[in-house]
Amino acid sequence: MTEILTDAFLPGLWAGYALAVPVGALAVLLVSVTARTSFRVGASAALGVATADGLYALAAVAGGAALSRAVAPAAGPLRSLAAVILLAMAIRTAVRALRHRGTQEGPARDVLGRPGRAYLAFLGLTLVNPWAVLYFSALVLAGGAGTPGAGAAGSAAFVAAVVTASASWQLFLAAGGAVLGRTLTGSRGRVVTALLSAAVISALAVGLLLRG
């Protein structure tokens, strides 16, 4: 048990935080979505990111670099499709914000204003990020995903630790977004955060296209 903790769970926590903590466009989007909706929506989005990180960690310990090579041919089309969807989301978010400025539009009218939508959107956005699978595959090849002697228990502990680390950090970001949202309760504040979100979504789409 101690061996699993020190050689699988703790390295999994380290790997999960190392992947999650650097603040990128997706983290900014999570904060802005929570700010203009609710913590419930933000928490659902956070769990979507954590789910994707866990799936990538599981795929890495199960197949490692071989799986990366197998999905490589589909990576380009998936990135292009994701970019188109993101641009559509950005346009809709910006247009809706400008159309309803000066009104008391509620969170439910937001394009990601429902927990289920937010979860699926952030799950998909994280899954199309090629960095995560490369990161975990390299970690497995370097022997950083549990000890061989620990077997399935070690792999499960590693994946669980990655999910724990990712979820805790993403929920922290969502909580920050909820606090920010309480300071932007007016119609102007909602328009500003919606336009910021649209800009971030567009940046994500452009980044996907450039990597393709």
mmCIF file of all heavy atoms in Angstrom, residues 153-182:
data_model
loop_
_atom_site.group_PDB
_atom_site.id
_atom_site.type_symbol
_atom_site.label_atom_id
_atom_site.label_comp_id
_atom_site.label_asym_id
_atom_site.label_seq_id
_atom_site.Cartn_x
_atom_site.Cartn_y
_atom_site.Cartn_z
ATOM 1 N N ALA A 153 -3.156 -2.041 -9.823
ATOM 2 C CA ALA A 153 -3.417 -1.162 -8.683
ATOM 3 C C ALA A 153 -2.613 0.125 -8.801
ATOM 4 O O ALA A 153 -3.123 1.225 -8.524
ATOM 5 C CB ALA A 153 -3.083 -1.877 -7.382
ATOM 6 N N GLY A 154 -1.364 0.011 -9.219
ATOM 7 C CA GLY A 154 -0.541 1.194 -9.384
ATOM 8 C C GLY A 154 -1.056 2.092 -10.493
ATOM 9 O O GLY A 154 -1.090 3.325 -10.357
ATOM 10 N N SER A 155 -1.468 1.489 -11.609
ATOM 11 C CA SER A 155 -2.006 2.277 -12.718
ATOM 12 C C SER A 155 -3.294 2.984 -12.303
ATOM 13 O O SER A 155 -3.506 4.161 -12.629
ATOM 14 C CB SER A 155 -2.286 1.360 -13.920
ATOM 15 O OG SER A 155 -1.084 0.794 -14.397
ATOM 16 N N ALA A 156 -4.162 2.269 -11.560
ATOM 17 C CA ALA A 156 -5.419 2.870 -11.107
ATOM 18 C C ALA A 156 -5.154 4.021 -10.145
ATOM 19 O O ALA A 156 -5.815 5.066 -10.208
ATOM 20 C CB ALA A 156 -6.288 1.810 -10.431
ATOM 21 N N ALA A 157 -4.168 3.839 -9.266
ATOM 22 C CA ALA A 157 -3.825 4.903 -8.319
ATOM 23 C C ALA A 157 -3.288 6.126 -9.052
ATOM 24 O O ALA A 157 -3.596 7.266 -8.700
ATOM 25 C CB ALA A 157 -2.799 4.392 -7.312
ATOM 26 N N PHE A 158 -2.479 5.892 -10.096
ATOM 27 C CA PHE A 158 -1.918 6.999 -10.867
ATOM 28 C C PHE A 158 -3.034 7.784 -11.551
ATOM 29 O O PHE A 158 -3.071 9.020 -11.488
ATOM 30 C CB PHE A 158 -0.942 6.465 -11.910
ATOM 31 C CG PHE A 158 -0.354 7.515 -12.809
ATOM 32 C CD1 PHE A 158 0.720 8.276 -12.387
ATOM 33 C CD2 PHE A 158 -0.881 7.731 -14.068
ATOM 34 C CE1 PHE A 158 1.261 9.256 -13.215
ATOM 35 C CE2 PHE A 158 -0.346 8.698 -14.900
ATOM 36 C CZ PHE A 158 0.723 9.460 -14.472
ATOM 37 N N VAL A 159 -3.961 7.084 -12.203
ATOM 38 C CA VAL A 159 -5.056 7.747 -12.909
ATOM 39 C C VAL A 159 -5.940 8.508 -11.913
ATOM 40 O O VAL A 159 -6.348 9.649 -12.161
ATOM 41 C CB VAL A 159 -5.879 6.733 -13.710
ATOM 42 C CG1 VAL A 159 -7.116 7.401 -14.320
ATOM 43 C CG2 VAL A 159 -5.025 6.108 -14.813
ATOM 44 N N ALA A 160 -6.235 7.877 -10.770
ATOM 45 C CA ALA A 160 -7.062 8.534 -9.757
ATOM 46 C C ALA A 160 -6.400 9.804 -9.242
ATOM 47 O O ALA A 160 -7.076 10.819 -9.007
ATOM 48 C CB ALA A 160 -7.323 7.571 -8.597
ATOM 49 N N ALA A 161 -5.083 9.766 -9.089
ATOM 50 C CA ALA A 161 -4.370 10.947 -8.617
ATOM 51 C C ALA A 161 -4.406 12.064 -9.645
ATOM 52 O O ALA A 161 -4.544 13.238 -9.297
ATOM 53 C CB ALA A 161 -2.924 10.573 -8.284
ATOM 54 N N VAL A 162 -4.270 11.704 -10.921
ATOM 55 C CA VAL A 162 -4.338 12.712 -11.983
ATOM 56 C C VAL A 162 -5.707 13.392 -11.975
ATOM 57 O O VAL A 162 -5.806 14.623 -12.063
ATOM 58 C CB VAL A 162 -4.058 12.069 -13.362
ATOM 59 C CG1 VAL A 162 -4.419 13.033 -14.488
ATOM 60 C CG2 VAL A 162 -2.597 11.651 -13.466
ATOM 61 N N VAL A 163 -6.773 12.599 -11.871
ATOM 62 C CA VAL A 163 -8.130 13.161 -11.840
ATOM 63 C C VAL A 163 -8.306 14.055 -10.614
ATOM 64 O O VAL A 163 -8.888 15.145 -10.701
ATOM 65 C CB VAL A 163 -9.175 12.034 -11.846
ATOM 66 C CG1 VAL A 163 -10.581 12.600 -11.642
ATOM 67 C CG2 VAL A 163 -9.111 11.247 -13.148
ATOM 68 N N THR A 164 -7.802 13.603 -9.465
ATOM 69 C CA THR A 164 -7.915 14.399 -8.236
ATOM 70 C C THR A 164 -7.219 15.739 -8.383
ATOM 71 O O THR A 164 -7.771 16.790 -8.025
ATOM 72 C CB THR A 164 -7.308 13.623 -7.059
ATOM 73 O OG1 THR A 164 -8.021 12.395 -6.875
ATOM 74 C CG2 THR A 164 -7.384 14.437 -5.774
ATOM 75 N N ALA A 165 -6.003 15.711 -8.908
ATOM 76 C CA ALA A 165 -5.251 16.955 -9.072
ATOM 77 C C ALA A 165 -5.934 17.886 -10.063
ATOM 78 O O ALA A 165 -6.107 19.089 -9.800
ATOM 79 C CB ALA A 165 -3.831 16.636 -9.536
ATOM 80 N N SER A 166 -6.337 17.341 -11.208
ATOM 81 C CA SER A 166 -6.966 18.169 -12.231
ATOM 82 C C SER A 166 -8.280 18.757 -11.726
ATOM 83 O O SER A 166 -8.539 19.958 -11.885
ATOM 84 C CB SER A 166 -7.207 17.345 -13.500
ATOM 85 O OG SER A 166 -7.835 18.119 -14.495
ATOM 86 N N ALA A 167 -9.114 17.919 -11.101
ATOM 87 C CA ALA A 167 -10.416 18.396 -10.629
ATOM 88 C C ALA A 167 -10.259 19.470 -9.563
ATOM 89 O O ALA A 167 -10.968 20.488 -9.582
ATOM 90 C CB ALA A 167 -11.230 17.227 -10.079
ATOM 91 N N SER A 168 -9.322 19.283 -8.633
ATOM 92 C CA SER A 168 -9.162 20.262 -7.563
ATOM 93 C C SER A 168 -8.708 21.611 -8.110
ATOM 94 O O SER A 168 -9.188 22.664 -7.686
ATOM 95 C CB SER A 168 -8.167 19.751 -6.514
ATOM 96 O OG SER A 168 -6.880 19.550 -7.080
ATOM 97 N N TRP A 169 -7.812 21.598 -9.087
ATOM 98 C CA TRP A 169 -7.341 22.863 -9.646
ATOM 99 C C TRP A 169 -8.424 23.540 -10.488
ATOM 100 O O TRP A 169 -8.628 24.748 -10.380
ATOM 101 C CB TRP A 169 -6.091 22.633 -10.488
ATOM 102 C CG TRP A 169 -5.588 23.906 -11.120
ATOM 103 C CD1 TRP A 169 -5.677 24.269 -12.423
ATOM 104 C CD2 TRP A 169 -4.953 24.997 -10.446
ATOM 105 N NE1 TRP A 169 -5.137 25.519 -12.619
ATOM 106 C CE2 TRP A 169 -4.684 25.983 -11.415
ATOM 107 C CE3 TRP A 169 -4.594 25.230 -9.119
ATOM 108 C CZ2 TRP A 169 -4.058 27.189 -11.100
ATOM 109 C CZ3 TRP A 169 -3.971 26.442 -8.804
ATOM 110 C CH2 TRP A 169 -3.711 27.392 -9.785
ATOM 111 N N GLN A 170 -9.116 22.759 -11.317
ATOM 112 C CA GLN A 170 -10.160 23.348 -12.151
ATOM 113 C C GLN A 170 -11.303 23.895 -11.305
ATOM 114 O O GLN A 170 -11.889 24.941 -11.633
ATOM 115 C CB GLN A 170 -10.686 22.326 -13.164
ATOM 116 C CG GLN A 170 -9.646 21.662 -14.047
ATOM 117 C CD GLN A 170 -8.816 22.640 -14.851
ATOM 118 O OE1 GLN A 170 -9.288 23.730 -15.179
ATOM 119 N NE2 GLN A 170 -7.597 22.259 -15.201
ATOM 120 N N LEU A 171 -11.645 23.212 -10.214
ATOM 121 C CA LEU A 171 -12.690 23.716 -9.317
ATOM 122 C C LEU A 171 -12.231 24.999 -8.629
ATOM 123 O O LEU A 171 -13.045 25.892 -8.354
ATOM 124 C CB LEU A 171 -13.063 22.653 -8.285
ATOM 125 C CG LEU A 171 -13.875 21.474 -8.822
ATOM 126 C CD1 LEU A 171 -13.978 20.369 -7.776
ATOM 127 C CD2 LEU A 171 -15.270 21.921 -9.256
ATOM 128 N N PHE A 172 -10.937 25.083 -8.337
ATOM 129 C CA PHE A 172 -10.390 26.321 -7.769
ATOM 130 C C PHE A 172 -10.567 27.479 -8.751
ATOM 131 O O PHE A 172 -10.962 28.590 -8.371
ATOM 132 C CB PHE A 172 -8.915 26.109 -7.429
ATOM 133 C CG PHE A 172 -8.189 27.364 -7.034
ATOM 134 C CD1 PHE A 172 -8.367 27.919 -5.774
ATOM 135 C CD2 PHE A 172 -7.323 27.993 -7.919
ATOM 136 C CE1 PHE A 172 -7.707 29.092 -5.404
ATOM 137 C CE2 PHE A 172 -6.660 29.147 -7.558
ATOM 138 C CZ PHE A 172 -6.850 29.706 -6.301
ATOM 139 N N LEU A 173 -10.288 27.227 -10.036
ATOM 140 C CA LEU A 173 -10.485 28.257 -11.049
ATOM 141 C C LEU A 173 -11.962 28.640 -11.161
ATOM 142 O O LEU A 173 -12.301 29.822 -11.308
ATOM 143 C CB LEU A 173 -9.976 27.761 -12.402
ATOM 144 C CG LEU A 173 -8.465 27.561 -12.553
ATOM 145 C CD1 LEU A 173 -8.148 27.016 -13.943
ATOM 146 C CD2 LEU A 173 -7.705 28.852 -12.302
ATOM 147 N N ALA A 174 -12.839 27.629 -11.101
ATOM 148 C CA ALA A 174 -14.276 27.909 -11.177
ATOM 149 C C ALA A 174 -14.729 28.764 -9.994
ATOM 150 O O ALA A 174 -15.544 29.682 -10.150
ATOM 151 C CB ALA A 174 -15.066 26.607 -11.226
ATOM 152 N N ALA A 175 -14.195 28.481 -8.815
ATOM 153 C CA ALA A 175 -14.540 29.285 -7.640
ATOM 154 C C ALA A 175 -14.086 30.732 -7.831
ATOM 155 O O ALA A 175 -14.801 31.676 -7.475
ATOM 156 C CB ALA A 175 -13.897 28.687 -6.387
ATOM 157 N N GLY A 176 -12.897 30.911 -8.417
ATOM 158 C CA GLY A 176 -12.435 32.263 -8.714
ATOM 159 C C GLY A 176 -13.338 32.962 -9.698
ATOM 160 O O GLY A 176 -13.619 34.161 -9.564
ATOM 161 N N GLY A 177 -13.826 32.212 -10.692
ATOM 162 C CA GLY A 177 -14.752 32.794 -11.649
ATOM 163 C C GLY A 177 -16.063 33.190 -11.008
ATOM 164 O O GLY A 177 -16.659 34.224 -11.357
ATOM 165 N N ALA A 178 -16.542 32.393 -10.035
ATOM 166 C CA ALA A 178 -17.794 32.716 -9.341
ATOM 167 C C ALA A 178 -17.642 33.998 -8.533
ATOM 168 O O ALA A 178 -18.543 34.843 -8.501
ATOM 169 C CB ALA A 178 -18.203 31.555 -8.437
ATOM 170 N N VAL A 179 -16.488 34.160 -7.872
ATOM 171 C CA VAL A 179 -16.229 35.388 -7.115
ATOM 172 C C VAL A 179 -16.178 36.583 -8.060
ATOM 173 O O VAL A 179 -16.739 37.653 -7.785
ATOM 174 C CB VAL A 179 -14.908 35.270 -6.323
ATOM 175 C CG1 VAL A 179 -14.535 36.605 -5.696
ATOM 176 C CG2 VAL A 179 -15.033 34.199 -5.258
ATOM 177 N N LEU A 180 -15.504 36.410 -9.207
ATOM 178 C CA LEU A 180 -15.442 37.479 -10.200
ATOM 179 C C LEU A 180 -16.830 37.831 -10.705
ATOM 180 O O LEU A 180 -17.154 39.014 -10.896
ATOM 181 C CB LEU A 180 -14.556 37.050 -11.365
ATOM 182 C CG LEU A 180 -14.446 38.016 -12.551
ATOM 183 C CD1 LEU A 180 -13.801 39.330 -12.116
ATOM 184 C CD2 LEU A 180 -13.653 37.386 -13.686
ATOM 185 N N GLY A 181 -17.646 36.812 -10.909
ATOM 186 C CA GLY A 181 -18.989 37.040 -11.421
ATOM 187 C C GLY A 181 -19.839 37.886 -10.494
ATOM 188 O O GLY A 181 -20.659 38.684 -10.945
ATOM 189 N N ARG A 182 -19.636 37.731 -9.182
ATOM 190 C CA ARG A 182 -20.415 38.517 -8.225
ATOM 191 C C ARG A 182 -20.048 40.003 -8.281
ATOM 192 O O ARG A 182 -20.818 40.853 -7.843
ATOM 193 C CB ARG A 182 -20.224 37.954 -6.814
ATOM 194 C CG ARG A 182 -21.016 36.677 -6.569
ATOM 195 C CD ARG A 182 -21.118 36.378 -5.082
ATOM 196 N NE ARG A 182 -19.836 35.964 -4.522
ATOM 197 C CZ ARG A 182 -19.413 34.701 -4.475
ATOM 198 N NH1 ARG A 182 -20.169 33.740 -4.976
ATOM 199 N NH2 ARG A 182 -18.252 34.394 -3.937
#
